[in-house]
Amino acid sequence: MIRLSDFSIGFGKRQLLDNISCSFHDGRLTALIGRNGSGKSTLLHAIAGLDRHYEGNITLDGNDLRDTSQTIIARKLAFVSTYRTRIPNMRCIDVVALGRAPYTNWIGHLQPADHEIVENAMHSVGMAGYETRPLDTLSDGECQRVMIARAIAQDTPNILLDEPTSFLDIPNRYELVTLLCGLARDHGKCILFSTHELDIAMRLCDDIALIDDRSILHLPASRMVSDPHIRHLFPVPL
């Protein structure tokens, strides 16, 4: 579980979120939505421990983020950036194996159990058979599945994704969010992802976290669809 308590953060001189308190729970898929510049990516980076310039507290499964070592954070939370990784000649299986880094010995040697976890992770995202394919030869959708497989191999209770559906066609967007939904519900993971795909979020997610006017409105998707806040912010039929 991820919890924000009296949380505030800004970008430069601009305040993006002010005195927020909310929780994101295990076994639920939450879409983080809001207009451009509202603070979605900034919030995800703070939760991932990549931006410590905030006030208040962030806790991961009851542990304050500021008091938690990077090694422990890596065992509690996986982060999939919006950046499209394209490393020439790096095999897909080697990328996914990076997810086991928090559990390896000092020379990074994988044990047989680690190899099995990596293979299972690739299979779970539909990328079995791609193990030896170079990452830079894949489509955007395939590459994104490999990066999610890396997060699955990391075997953390919490997963963050920054706009994972960007640059994907409509079928791949639905397939990707359906995959995340299965991970959350079937494996009890807390998954939070930012998106501009309001229709997909409403159809497939358990909860919606709407950033507006430096605050977060966090509701089940079934309630958010009729809430006046979202109809004011996005005045289109849902």
Side-chain angles (χ1 to χ4, degrees):
M1 183 176 78
I2 300 167
R3 178 167 179 76
L4 309 177
S5 302
D6 303 321
F7 176 85
S8 300
I9 196 169
F11 185 80
K13 295 182 178 180
R14 182 185 175 197
Q15 189 78 353
L16 296 174
L17 292 167
D18 186 24
N19 199 31
I20 301 301
S21 294
C22 66
S23 299
F24 305 105
H25 295 278
D26 298 342
R28 299 186 72 83
L29 176 64
T30 303
L32 183 63
I33 65 174
R35 289 184 172 173
N36 289 335
S38 60
K40 299 185 297 297
S41 293
T42 300
L43 174 58
L44 291 178
H45 279 78
I47 297 173
L50 302 176
D51 185 349
R52 298 296 180 97
H53 299 93
Y54 62 84
E55 298 179 0
N57 298 97
I58 302 173
T59 57
L60 299 178
D61 301 329
N63 299 302
D64 191 291
L65 187 66
R66 285 195 175 98
D67 299 329
T68 306
S69 69
Q70 290 297 324
T71 299
I72 298 301
I73 291 174
R75 295 184 179 185
K76 288 186 173 295
L77 184 144
F79 179 62
V80 180
S81 171
T82 189
Y83 177 72
R84 294 295 180 267
T85 303
R86 288 287 190 272
I87 304 173
N89 302 317
M90 189 170 188
R91 302 182 307 168
C92 292
I93 195 167
D94 296 326
V95 175
V96 178
L98 292 174
R100 300 306 300 162
Y103 309 96
T104 58
N105 56 28
W106 66 277
I107 59 173
H109 183 68
L110 297 182
Q111 302 298 319
D114 295 309
H115 289 291
E116 183 177 357
I117 290 171
V118 169
E119 291 175 4
N120 289 340
M122 293 200 67
H123 184 270
S124 70
V125 300
M127 295 300 287
Y130 283 71
E131 288 83 358
T132 60
R133 285 276 300 274
L135 191 66
D136 60 336
T137 66
L138 303 186
S139 67
D140 281 337
E142 291 168 338
C143 182
Q144 192 70 327
R145 285 178 179 269
V146 170
M147 302 312 294
I148 293 174
R150 179 194 56 77
I152 295 172
Q154 198 171 330
D155 194 24
T156 60
N158 307 286
I159 300 177
L160 306 179
L161 306 99
D162 193 6
E163 296 194 26
T165 59
S166 61
F167 307 113
L168 302 183
D169 57 28
I170 291 177
N172 273 311
R173 292 174 189 176
Y174 273 91
E175 287 181 11
L176 183 58
V177 178
T178 299
L179 169 64
L180 297 177
C181 184
L183 287 174
R185 297 175 184 175
D186 298 341
H187 299 277
K189 294 182 182 293
C190 171
I191 302 182
L192 174 64
F193 74 103
S194 63
T195 183
H196 290 287
E197 310 296 337
L198 189 58
D199 55 336
I200 296 177
M202 290 295 187
R203 288 176 183 269
L204 299 179
C205 293
D206 299 299
D207 301 315
I208 306 293
L210 170 64
I211 298 181
D212 182 35
D213 193 24
R214 297 180 296 174
S215 65
I216 293 181
L217 179 64
H218 186 203
L219 293 173
S222 58
R223 289 179 55 193
M224 182 67 82
V225 70
S226 59
D227 190 273
H229 288 84
I230 197 167
R231 293 189 174 276
H232 171 72
L233 197 62
F234 301 99
V236 294
L238 300 178

